[in-house]
Amino acid sequence: MKHVAVIGAGTMGNGIAHSFAQSGFKVRLIDINEISLKKGLDTIVLNLDRMIAKEKILVTDKVNTLANISTFTDLKDGVTNADLVVEAATENIELKLNIFKQLDESCSKKTILATNTSSISITQLASITSRPDKVIGMHFMNPVPIMKLVEVIRGYNTSNDVTKTIMELSKTLGKVAVEVNDYPGFVANRILMPMLNESIETLYNGVAGVKEIDTVMKLGMAHPMGPLQLADFIGLDVCLSILNVMYDGFKNPKYAPCPLLVNMVQAGKLGVKSGEGFYDYSESKKADKASSQFLK
């Protein structure tokens, strides 16, 4: 396996492309317009420069990594001859179903179709294709070039061979692959999101303020980042989407999103990406400082 296509040049997509390219794979990064692609590549360059500054890689590693990445705005052209496609588009079921339908029509029958979804059913995405045995989840963690975990999620029909291939492939990226089964939220978000939601409920009920809640969890539970700050970095819209998927999937009220989270998303306060969430990121220096702390 040498040729990988990544769909989506956003935070997760450019991180996935970066990781594959740095590991020697030829990567085709695909997005709907050149602006998104340029922003994605700029992020990859910035992250490579940070790694050089920390003496984790050499300048030649940066040059080789960037040389391994090509960009496309046409999905069909971008996935031609790909051994693996990793979809990293917005966490929206209709969008992902449409992408997987196109991928099934455009890719070789041998191509493995993976999704970076953090909660949406692999089995449901596979059902829109003629190759459900070759559809699998690869849930990377943010920031992708640094975080070691990859949740490898088997759909109901995912074959043993495809699962083994993706488990081994993840190891070549320097990741630790953990195989899980296809249930809403998988493992990571099934455990993480209720904690974040409960933190928001604690704020909503007036038990304590934002900084106080985060301080208790950082100093008392040894978390590197408080839950409300972490929610800001994930994106409050993403947190809401994942909670809704789990609530719809399990019909259990413990997964129902807090009204404060719903209102903040409706008001456009999405966290770092919008400049404001539980914390204020409106000044670029604040955002850069927060990002650098997160990447340490």
Side-chain angles (χ1 to χ4, degrees):
M1 188 174 289
K2 294 292 183 183
H3 300 278
V4 177
V6 178
I7 298 178
T11 300
M12 296 306 295
N14 70 61
I16 294 167
H18 173 164
S19 294
F20 273 104
Q22 190 173 325
S23 296
F25 292 85
K26 296 297 182 182
V27 178
R28 296 183 171 193
L29 184 59
I30 306 165
D31 211 310
I32 56 175
N33 59 61
E34 294 289 350
I35 295 174
S36 297
L37 288 168
K38 183 180 184 305
K39 186 175 180 181
L41 284 175
D42 287 346
T43 299
I44 293 172
V45 170
L46 178 62
N47 287 332
L48 287 167
D49 286 340
R50 284 173 174 162
M51 295 173 84
I52 291 170
K54 294 178 180 179
E55 299 183 347
K56 292 185 176 181
I57 63 171
L58 302 173
V59 173
T60 52
D61 296 319
K62 171 186 173 181
V63 172
N64 292 335
T65 297
L66 294 175
N68 282 333
I69 302 173
S70 53
T71 60
F72 293 81
T73 54
D74 184 275
L75 184 144
K76 188 173 182 178
D77 289 344
V79 300
T80 300
N81 298 324
D83 300 305
L84 168 70
V85 178
V86 182
E87 172 272 317
T90 304
E91 194 76 348
N92 177 286
I93 182 60
E94 297 303 325
L95 173 63
K96 289 182 184 292
L97 285 170
N98 182 51
I99 289 173
F100 269 78
K101 184 177 180 181
Q102 293 182 62
L103 290 175
D104 190 48
E105 295 169 351
S106 303
C107 295
S108 161
K109 294 300 180 183
K110 296 180 180 179
T111 304
I112 296 173
L113 306 182
T115 174
N116 182 58
T117 182
S118 54
S119 61
I120 292 170
S121 169
I122 308 304
T123 304
Q124 186 176 2
L125 295 176
S127 70
I128 203 75
T129 75
S130 62
R131 65 184 87 192
D133 60 314
K134 290 184 173 63
V135 177
I136 195 165
M138 290 186 77
H139 181 207
F140 292 85
M141 305 294 125
N142 183 34
V144 181
I146 294 173
M147 299 294 279
K148 290 293 186 181
L149 177 66
V150 178
E151 270 190 307
V152 177
I153 307 107
R154 293 184 66 135
Y156 189 82
N157 293 303
T158 306
S159 72
N160 290 333
D161 286 344
V162 166
T163 302
K164 181 180 178 181
T165 296
I166 296 303
M167 292 287 287
E168 293 177 351
L169 177 66
S170 299
K171 293 176 184 177
T172 68
L173 300 178
K175 307 297 184 185
V176 176
V178 177
E179 181 182 338
V180 304
N181 290 316
D182 186 21
Y183 292 96
F186 316 131
V187 171
N189 282 316
R190 184 168 178 173
I191 295 170
L192 174 64
M193 286 301 154
M195 185 193 74
L196 299 187
N197 197 44
E198 191 63 29
S199 301
I200 299 169
E201 285 277 1
T202 303
L203 176 66
Y204 179 59
N205 292 331
V207 178
V210 171
K211 292 183 179 178
E212 288 76 12
I213 292 169
D214 278 356
T215 299
V216 167
M217 296 305 290
K218 286 192 289 184
L219 300 185
M221 311 303 164
H223 290 191
M225 179 181 293
L228 298 176
Q229 186 184 14
L230 177 57
D232 275 352
F233 272 90
I234 293 170
L236 302 190
D237 53 336
V238 176
C239 293
L240 178 59
S241 175
I242 295 169
L243 284 165
N244 280 330
V245 167
M246 293 196 294
Y247 182 57
D248 290 343
F250 291 116
K251 308 300 182 189
N252 188 324
K254 75 177 182 179
Y255 298 114
C258 175
L260 176 58
L261 175 61
V262 175
N263 282 343
M264 290 181 71
V265 172
Q266 289 178 340
K269 298 181 186 299
L270 310 180
V272 175
K273 69 174 76 175
S274 69
E276 184 179 359
F278 293 106
Y279 293 87
D280 183 4
Y281 307 92
S282 56
E283 296 178 23
S284 60
K285 288 184 179 179
K286 287 183 180 180
D288 288 342
K289 181 179 180 182
S291 296
S292 65
Q293 289 175 341
F294 185 51
L295 291 172
K296 286 181 180 179

